[in-house]
Amino acid sequence: DAKTTQPPSMDCAEGRAANLPCNHSTISGNEYVYWYRQIHSQGPQYIIHGLKNNETNEMASLIITEDRKSSTLILPHATLRDTAVYYCIVTGNQFYFGTGTSLTVIP
Amino acid sequence: SAVISQKPSRDICQRGTSLTIQCQVDSQVTMMFWYRQQPGQSLTLIATANQGSEATYESGFVIDKFPISRPNLTFSTLTVSNMSPEDSSIYLCSVDSGRNTGELFFGEGSRLTVL
């Protein structure tokens, strides 16, 4: 079962940073935090993951709090193509998707 | 990255019939997964398709309703049996990347409508 809580929806102005929060207060020591997104009518796409350190790749940054009970996905310069549902997943093995956050990037 | 092909991409079926969805991967993968996404909902894991053994089903899903085959490391099928309108969903195949990151790759899904 999903172990994460995300806001159902968010808006972000094009060109601005999109900060998507995720609560995972019951995370275990060996569980990773993964972020995926699903653009309408497509399969989910991997974005980034982390264990306890902050991570950055070409798509996004992941900030994990010191107690690991929450995290934030940052899209530094949101574009219209970033409009999607973003899923935060906590897992040590299987991937169980929660309800996600529907991000709308506004021109 | 793995390239995943699913067939059919979409289909319209009659109540009471069965449909088999195919998932072909362009490389050998250890783990293959089947998900369901009902209209307007998130993804739900149906089962893990194990090569050479029976699939491992999640709670709420049974083999009689969703039989799965995994004859080799690049192919799997999911059958939706005795369909009802409640089975109308997108069914997605997913594979482990093989990298030590736990990352999954997903197919584009098979959109099934049951009348």
Side-chain angles (χ1 to χ4, degrees):
Chain A
D1 291 329
K3 307 178 190 179
T4 61
T5 303
Q6 299 177 253
S9 64
M10 293 181 62
D11 292 338
C12 177
E14 187 178 18
R16 305 297 292 268
N19 297 282
L20 292 90
C22 179
N23 287 324
H24 32 79
S25 58
T26 61
I27 191 170
S28 300
N30 62 344
E31 290 182 318
Y32 284 76
V33 179
Y34 282 80
W35 283 84
Y36 282 76
R37 73 179 182 184
Q38 187 175 27
I39 297 170
H40 183 63
S41 296
Q42 298 182 18
Q45 176 191 22
Y46 166 83
I47 300 173
I48 199 168
H49 77 283
L51 182 62
K52 56 182 180 180
N53 297 323
N54 297 337
E55 302 288 345
T56 295
N57 63 20
E58 65 278 5
M59 291 182 66
S61 294
L62 173 61
I63 308 299
I64 303 174
T65 58
E66 190 170 346
D67 63 6
R68 302 212 318 128
K69 293 185 177 182
S70 66
S71 61
T72 301
L73 178 74
I74 301 173
L75 308 178
H77 306 286
T79 71
L80 299 180
R81 289 177 294 180
D82 291 322
T83 293
V85 178
Y86 288 77
Y87 295 100
C88 169
I89 302 165
V90 166
T91 182
N93 188 8
Q94 306 294 58
F95 285 74
Y96 300 103
F97 285 73
T99 54
T101 295
S102 178
L103 175 69
T104 301
V105 180
I106 302 170
Chain B
S1 64
V3 177
I4 303 170
S5 302
Q6 283 189 237
K7 292 181 180 179
S9 58
R10 60 178 63 231
D11 207 341
I12 300 174
C13 301
Q14 297 299 317
R15 181 195 302 258
T17 64
S18 299
L19 179 74
T20 296
I21 302 167
Q22 299 179 3
C23 177
Q24 179 74 55
V25 189
D26 69 343
S27 59
Q28 293 186 340
V29 294
T30 303
M31 306 294 285
M32 295 182 76
F33 308 92
W34 286 98
Y35 285 84
R36 179 177 74 181
Q37 188 169 29
Q38 295 175 300
Q41 303 295 314
S42 180
L43 286 78
T44 301
L45 180 62
I46 298 173
T48 301
N50 304 306
Q51 197 268 329
S53 64
E54 279 197 1
T56 304
Y57 289 84
E58 297 296 314
S59 176
F61 297 95
V62 295
I63 187 171
D64 289 346
K65 176 67 176 177
F66 298 101
I68 289 171
S69 76
R70 179 87 195 271
N72 56 52
L73 293 175
T74 63
F75 187 78
S76 178
T77 67
L78 170 75
T79 299
V80 186
S81 303
N82 187 24
M83 289 183 286
S84 67
E86 292 71 34
D87 294 319
S88 296
S89 295
I90 300 173
Y91 292 85
L92 296 116
C93 173
S94 168
V95 304
D96 186 276
S97 67
R99 300 196 285 260
N100 196 26
T101 60
E103 174 186 351
L104 296 183
F105 295 117
F106 284 83
E108 291 303 308
S110 299
R111 182 182 296 271
L112 176 62
T113 301
V114 184
L115 303 178

